[in-house]
Amino acid sequence: MSPRPEASGDPQPVAATRDTYIGLEPPGRPGETDVGATEYLFEQITRKLARTPATFAGTSGLDGAGNGNGDGDEPLNPAIPAGYAFLAQFAIHDLLRQGAEADLGDGADRRLLRTRPLALETLYGHGPAMQAGCYASAPGLRTDRHAEFPATRFRLAPADIGIGRATVEDGKCPVSIPLIADARNDDNAILSQFTALFQRVHNRAMDRLDHGRAAESPQASAMNFAVVRAALTHVYRRILRHDLLARLLDPTVRAYFEARHRAPAGPAGPGCATAADLAHAALRLGHAMIRARYCLSPDEPDSTPLHDILLHTPDRAPARPPSERDRPVAWGDFFDLPAGRRPQPSRRLSPALAEPLWDETLFPPPAPHKPAGLAYRDLLRCTVSGVHRIDALCARARKAYPDLAEASPWLGDTALRHDAMRLWIRSEPDVDFGEMEEGLVQNPPPVLYYLIEAAVATGGRTFGPLASLIVAESIFGILDAHPEAPSNSVVASEAAKVIFGTTVPRTMPELVLWLDDTGSAAP
């Protein structure tokens, strides 16, 4: 049996209820966190996540070598092409306000979410008047009239090879500053190019609405911008509903919430999850979808290591010249385009992460002598952010959605959930949890449970039932409750028809093809 250290300091009380996950509690002192014991448990979990094969349990025998352009030892998921991991990251930035990553307070705190979530604020920000550096004037305006017209196009790199950038001198090393509304969208090279893809769609739509000419007046130019923004937001929300969620969610859960969407509106129930359950636990599953390598272009002889893709930002690679930060991406390798080659898949969802996500230079330890990488950070986040315990969430789900709970045994069968935890714990006997094992089975860190649930319940093809419920409850609720700009969904849908024609895109391949038909989807 592995030794367990004494608690490092006195147990620290947190603002929690008995429904809140706070890690291990000291005997006789419920509602407090045994800090030393919890840290030791998380260190053991992190060791096991690093050592347990990704093909454990429900994912064994699944597609691996020869499926896409990844390494042969990565369990891959052809049901979710690689591009959807980056669409999901982009959508998360559009859901959570900037700074929400550091907001680990009350789990019911709605300040985690943007004021208008999923309305493309992550792309448009506060608009040209407030964030002028992100925008450029329309082509064709006379120099003496530039000041009269609002800037209505996104500022892109030369030849549209990526997002716009400004370079400033910082001593001997020039620093590249992304000219985008949400700096998080320059977190890695692929996400940066995905943001530029949406920017090019906007610019192309403005060109179509202007019919290749400058607008007749500043007022007409501003109106055209509003119409394009409404149209693109409408398309984006269609893609989230019909493409992204259709691929990520457990089919039973998705069908249930789609049926609720089509049913006549009634009084909204209390639901079962909070913004913290979504932001600090369920959405963390996206880390498990990231591959170790990506093919960015069919012209490249070798795939690009994820480490190089993450070494994209000035913070991570300050010496890299700005001219080398933007690498064109062939979207046919990321989305299933008609008559194209088969896109590379994402990783299957399981309690395992790609090797670069353990890199201590990219993701250093949060404290001396603690594990590096994203896994340990995600475990700590669960403990201090006010997320619900798994058993509490399932109880709330059974009360809020009894029909769904009856259809999905993972929401109602405690023994089934405990057996899945034991299956993972015992799949790598070299990591011994000792006397903590039963507590881990009965009260697992939520982010760990969601990974195991996905692997065992769905074979890693989609999120598991409980994680799917949390995402569906939140995202469908937002999409149904907040009509698109400028005034309502009817106006937005009509604006989309003006821009995109009678066949309005509802998937990423359709959007990429529209851009390709009207100009160029690839730089």
Side-chain angles (χ1 to χ4, degrees):
M1 181 178 295
S2 300
R4 196 184 87 182
E6 295 298 324
S8 58
D10 295 330
Q12 297 179 3
V14 297
T17 68
R18 295 302 298 160
D19 287 349
T20 304
Y21 182 79
I22 60 172
L24 296 177
E25 302 175 34
R29 299 171 70 176
E32 298 181 0
T33 299
D34 189 333
V35 177
T38 299
E39 288 179 347
Y40 177 69
L41 172 65
F42 288 174
E43 290 167 16
Q44 291 292 90
I45 292 173
T46 302
R47 285 183 59 218
K48 185 168 177 56
L49 288 169
R51 297 175 59 151
T52 301
T55 53
F56 111 96
T59 59
S60 60
L62 300 177
D63 300 327
N67 193 344
N69 299 304
D71 294 338
D73 59 353
E74 279 200 295
L76 302 179
N77 184 7
I80 305 181
Y84 290 95
F86 299 95
L87 170 59
Q89 188 177 6
F90 182 84
I92 289 170
H93 294 167
D94 199 35
L95 178 70
L96 305 178
R97 63 174 177 80
Q98 297 190 61
E101 290 275 323
D103 191 345
L104 301 176
D106 181 3
D109 189 352
R110 300 298 295 181
R111 289 178 300 173
L112 285 169
L113 303 182
R114 289 179 178 271
T115 304
R116 297 187 65 248
L118 302 181
L120 275 186
E121 286 187 356
T122 193
L123 183 71
Y124 288 101
H126 298 294
M130 298 291 290
Q131 292 180 287
C134 305
Y135 294 89
S137 298
L141 287 176
R142 297 198 312 267
T143 303
D144 60 348
R145 301 195 70 196
H146 274 186
E148 300 177 22
F149 282 74
T152 57
R153 270 66 167 180
F154 283 107
R155 192 183 301 275
L156 291 163
D160 289 0
I161 64 169
I163 62 172
R165 297 185 184 278
T167 302
V168 297
E169 295 296 330
D170 182 16
K172 298 180 179 179
C173 181
V175 176
S176 173
I177 299 175
L179 299 176
I180 54 178
D182 189 340
R184 294 174 296 178
N185 290 330
D186 194 39
D187 179 69
N188 63 72
I190 299 175
L191 180 61
S192 179
Q193 287 293 337
F194 186 87
T195 303
L197 172 67
F198 267 79
Q199 290 180 327
R200 287 197 296 274
V201 171
H202 169 91
N203 288 0
R204 190 73 61 193
M206 286 296 306
D207 291 342
R208 294 195 72 175
L209 203 59
D210 287 344
H211 302 291
R213 302 186 303 272
E216 296 179 357
S217 68
Q219 293 77 14
S221 182
M223 179 58 70
N224 287 351
F225 178 88
V227 170
V228 169
R229 178 170 181 173
L232 185 52
T233 301
H234 178 75
V235 168
Y236 163 70
R237 286 179 162 226
R238 282 167 61 90
I239 289 171
L240 295 183
R241 179 186 292 275
H242 300 294
D243 199 10
L244 181 64
L245 293 183
R247 294 176 185 272
L248 292 186
L249 299 184
D250 173 83
T252 300
V253 174
R254 177 174 178 261
Y256 177 85
F257 279 91
E258 282 286 9
R260 285 169 58 93
H261 165 70
R262 291 189 293 268
C272 73
T274 66
D277 293 315
L278 179 71
H280 297 312
L283 292 179
R284 302 281 151 180
L285 268 68
H287 292 157
M289 297 170 60
I290 302 298
R291 296 163 56 106
R293 305 180 68 90
Y294 287 93
C295 178
L296 301 183
S297 168
D299 298 330
E300 294 186 358
D302 299 310
S303 56
T304 303
L306 177 62
H307 186 276
D308 290 352
I309 292 169
L310 293 174
L311 283 176
H312 167 79
T313 65
D315 290 341
R316 292 179 180 146
R320 177 173 289 185
S323 60
E324 297 180 8
R325 296 194 184 279
D326 294 304
R327 304 183 60 182
V329 169
W331 294 113
D333 285 324
F334 287 83
F335 298 106
D336 193 6
L337 301 183
R341 69 176 191 161
R342 190 179 183 184
Q344 56 200 328
S346 61
R347 277 176 63 105
R348 281 193 191 261
L349 290 156
S350 72
L353 300 180
E355 184 176 351
L357 300 183
W358 300 94
D359 191 301
E360 65 179 356
T361 61
L362 294 171
F363 308 102
H369 312 298
K370 298 301 178 185
L374 285 180
Y376 187 72
R377 294 183 180 198
D378 285 346
L379 291 167
L380 290 177
R381 184 176 294 275
C382 278
T383 311
V384 297
S385 59
V387 302
H388 283 96
R389 293 162 51 115
I390 295 300
D391 56 356
L393 274 173
C394 288
R396 292 162 68 98
R398 292 193 297 271
K399 182 177 180 180
Y401 311 108
D403 294 344
L404 179 58
E406 185 175 344
S408 180
W410 286 86
L411 302 177
D413 190 340
T414 303
L416 184 63
R417 299 194 299 272
H418 289 182
D419 287 346
M421 290 300 304
R422 291 191 181 96
L423 182 64
W424 176 74
I425 290 171
R426 296 169 186 175
S427 62
E428 176 54 66
D430 289 347
V431 179
D432 182 10
F433 291 98
E435 63 188 32
M436 297 181 293
E437 177 175 323
E438 193 56 29
L440 180 58
V441 167
Q442 296 187 24
N443 184 26
V447 69
L448 172 64
Y449 172 78
Y450 296 143
L451 290 170
I452 294 171
E453 177 194 50
V456 180
T458 78
R461 293 174 176 84
T462 68
F463 287 13
L466 182 56
S468 292
L469 188 157
I470 294 169
V471 174
E473 178 185 77
S474 302
I475 304 304
F476 277 108
I478 290 169
L479 294 178
D480 292 341
H482 297 287
E484 299 94 333
S487 59
N488 58 56
S489 57
V490 175
V491 173
S493 64
E494 291 303 314
K497 292 177 184 178
V498 171
I499 300 299
F500 297 98
T502 55
T503 306
V504 178
R506 55 186 277 166
T507 68
M508 279 304 304
E510 290 173 358
L511 184 66
V512 170
L513 286 175
W514 179 86
L515 185 58
D516 190 43
D517 289 342
T518 59
S520 175

